[in-house]
Amino acid sequence: MSLPHAILTALLEKPSSGLELTRRFDKSIGYFWSATHQQIYRELGKLEAEGHIRTLPAEQPARGQKKSYEVLPAGRAELARWTAVSQDPKPQRDVLLLRLRAAAVVGTAGLESDLRRHLELHQRQLAEYEQIERRDFPPDRTGPQDRLRHLVLRAGIDLETFWTQWLTEALKEFTDLPAEAPEPTGDTSG
């Protein structure tokens, strides 16, 4: 996914100013595609220059008034084109997994407490996603847009469930592991 496409998606859902987009990213799209305020404003300028969005006319001309944007037909066509294009999954890159692999050769000192911290963070995120699901997706919300949005949220719930289960298992493993570096075995597989 790319930031311009995330912005086009958000603007098609609701025309917004850059500040409103930033707030909406923090509450929805930002759970799986984050962006800073500056990145959003930079992309808005590019999208406007490319003819994908336009600034909505102000109700009253005022200096310093925030600009709101809407998607133009060219922007909708770009988003539809991008949505239809096949994309391969990206390889997993997770620093925690790399640190665990490094612990196999240098020891686990300090890592257990960070695993516990990660577990708490994932438990909190899971609870937040479950709260959003209860609030925003009651059983009677079965329209196509709601079903697709709920599917995205379910992916987040499933990922957080995986991480909480995996971290719980990893912490159980730590009860039997030495904190200092193990002796080299000569095995270089994997």
Side-chain angles (χ1 to χ4, degrees), residues 7-25:
I7 291 172
L8 287 171
T9 299
L11 288 175
L12 278 170
E13 291 173 343
K14 180 183 176 192
S16 304
S17 69
L19 180 58
E20 291 165 340
L21 278 174
T22 301
R23 289 180 181 149
R24 288 176 55 212
F25 263 69

Side-chain angles (χ1 to χ4, degrees), residues 116-180:
R116 290 189 191 290
R117 187 180 68 81
H118 276 254
L119 177 58
E120 290 172 12
L121 292 170
H122 285 288
Q123 288 170 330
R124 276 197 302 251
Q125 190 64 64
L126 176 59
E128 186 175 343
Y129 285 165
E130 288 172 336
Q131 180 183 15
I132 292 169
E133 183 178 42
R134 285 188 300 275
R135 181 190 70 216
D136 294 348
F137 297 100
D140 62 337
R141 285 190 75 175
T142 59
Q145 289 181 336
D146 288 327
R147 288 172 55 197
L148 290 173
R149 288 181 184 129
H150 191 204
L151 191 60
V152 172
L153 178 61
R154 286 296 320 160
I157 289 170
D158 290 348
L159 285 169
E160 294 304 329
T161 299
F162 162 78
W163 280 112
T164 57
Q165 291 171 348
W166 183 85
L167 285 160
T168 300
E169 289 298 316
L171 284 163
K172 286 179 187 174
E173 288 289 328
F174 264 69
T175 59
D176 299 330
L177 296 175
E180 58 277 342

Side-chain angles (χ1 to χ4, degrees), residues 75-94:
R76 179 180 283 275
E78 169 53 24
L79 187 59
R81 181 209 61 76
W82 177 79
T83 301
V85 171
S86 176
Q87 293 183 2
D88 291 335
K90 300 287 183 207
Q92 176 72 18
R93 290 179 63 175
D94 191 291

Side-chain angles (χ1 to χ4, degrees), residues 30-62:
Y31 286 121
F32 54 91
W33 193 264
S34 61
T36 66
H37 190 73
Q38 292 83 5
Q39 289 171 318
I40 289 172
Y41 272 98
R42 191 170 34 250
E43 263 334 297
L44 285 169
K46 290 178 187 175
L47 288 167
E48 191 169 28
E50 293 167 353
H52 291 175
I53 64 171
R54 74 174 181 126
T55 304
L56 290 171
E59 293 175 14
Q60 301 175 28

Side-chain angles (χ1 to χ4, degrees), residues 96 99 103 107-117 174 178-180:
L96 181 62
R99 289 172 60 215
T108 62
L111 196 51
E112 185 175 358
S113 64
D114 204 37
L115 286 173
R116 290 189 191 290
R117 187 180 68 81
F174 264 69
E180 58 277 342

